[in-house]
Amino acid sequence: MPSAAREPRVLPDGTPVTTVHVVRHGEVENPAGVLYGRLPGYRLSARGHEMARAVAGSLTEHDLTHVVASPLERAQETAAPIAAAHDLPVGTDERLLESTNHFEGLTVGRGDGALWRARHWAAYVNPFTPSWGEPYREVAVRMRAALDDVRGQAEGHEAVMVSHQLPVWILRRSIDGRRLWHHPRRRECSLASVTSVLFHGAYPVRVFYDEPAAHLLPGALDVTGTSTGVIEE
């Protein structure tokens, strides 16, 4: 049965119950190991498409009424099979974009753009803001605004937002009331993971985490870039 045909979920007092699933995109084709950030043209790999289908399969029986994604190709491609399974369009929201980053377009360990070169050292000065890119607080504000809008559109049902690792993790820390600065290696947000936020009315009451594509994850912890601690794709 199509999601839109279901009755809205409500508590006994009539308060709507809404769930927004915040999905990180799947693996990207990036043989050169570029820290691509917001650069266009970086699409899902063959395994990334498998990951997207795995996420879609895990949400098939859910009451989805809205699907929205970052405008970057890898997010749109991850959202496509999820939306198709529910006969929904994929909306675009720039607030779901990857964070801006000083190191965009560089490689980690080789070439003129390598991160270890002296001309980039100033970007490492403050890990708390951080000094190498978009302030965590700004990321939290835009992601919370996007989440609230989608929650309102899907009230009483479920929705999906597809974004990128750092914005998803900052959103989760913001909801949990934790400090926004953190160690990048400790993020619980693998490729094609699903961070689900349960709302009673407009209030987030619980966060769930799932990895429907865990069986497809590469042997490394993450795609190229995580080990630097300064950029997440």
Side-chain angles (χ1 to χ4, degrees), residues 12 31 45 95 103 113 132 146 155 168 176 209 211-212 215:
S45 64
R95 293 173 296 185
F103 301 104
W132 54 76
E155 192 167 83
V168 174
D176 289 343
Y209 178 77
E211 296 182 355
H215 60 293

Side-chain angles (χ1 to χ4, degrees), residues 38-198:
R38 290 186 175 186
L39 293 175
Y42 285 88
R43 313 185 76 93
L44 294 183
S45 64
R47 180 160 53 184
H49 282 288
E50 286 187 67
M51 290 177 173
R53 291 191 289 271
V55 176
S58 74
L59 295 172
T60 298
E61 299 303 319
H62 287 251
D63 182 24
L64 298 186
T65 61
H66 290 78
V67 177
V68 64
S70 156
L72 293 173
E73 292 98 326
R74 57 194 185 271
Q76 291 283 318
E77 290 175 340
T78 301
I82 301 171
H86 295 268
D87 295 321
L88 296 171
V90 177
T92 300
D93 191 334
E94 292 194 356
R95 293 173 296 185
L96 302 179
L97 271 167
E98 176 63 282
S99 302
T100 58
N101 198 289
H102 170 83
F103 301 104
E104 184 176 279
L106 304 184
T107 54
V108 176
R110 62 185 182 276
D112 291 337
L115 272 63
W116 51 265
R117 294 186 177 276
R119 65 175 176 271
H120 302 304
W121 290 353
Y124 293 101
V125 171
N126 183 355
F128 305 107
T129 302
S131 53
W132 54 76
E134 183 179 8
Y136 292 142
R137 188 172 300 279
E138 293 181 11
V139 178
V141 168
R142 64 177 169 87
M143 289 295 290
R144 287 296 293 264
L147 178 70
D148 287 342
D149 283 353
V150 170
R151 188 269 314 158
Q153 293 167 10
E155 192 167 83
H157 301 281
E158 300 181 48
V160 164
M161 304 192 329
V162 182
S163 186
H164 309 265
Q165 190 192 67
L166 177 58
V168 174
W169 185 239
I170 290 296
L171 174 64
R172 181 171 174 181
R173 293 184 73 86
S174 173
I175 293 170
D176 289 343
R178 289 184 281 172
R179 65 171 187 257
L180 300 182
W181 61 269
H182 59 280
H183 195 298
R185 291 182 183 273
R186 296 174 183 168
R187 294 172 186 164
E188 187 181 40
C189 189
S190 69
L191 291 165
S193 60
V194 182
T195 300
S196 301
V197 185
L198 174 67

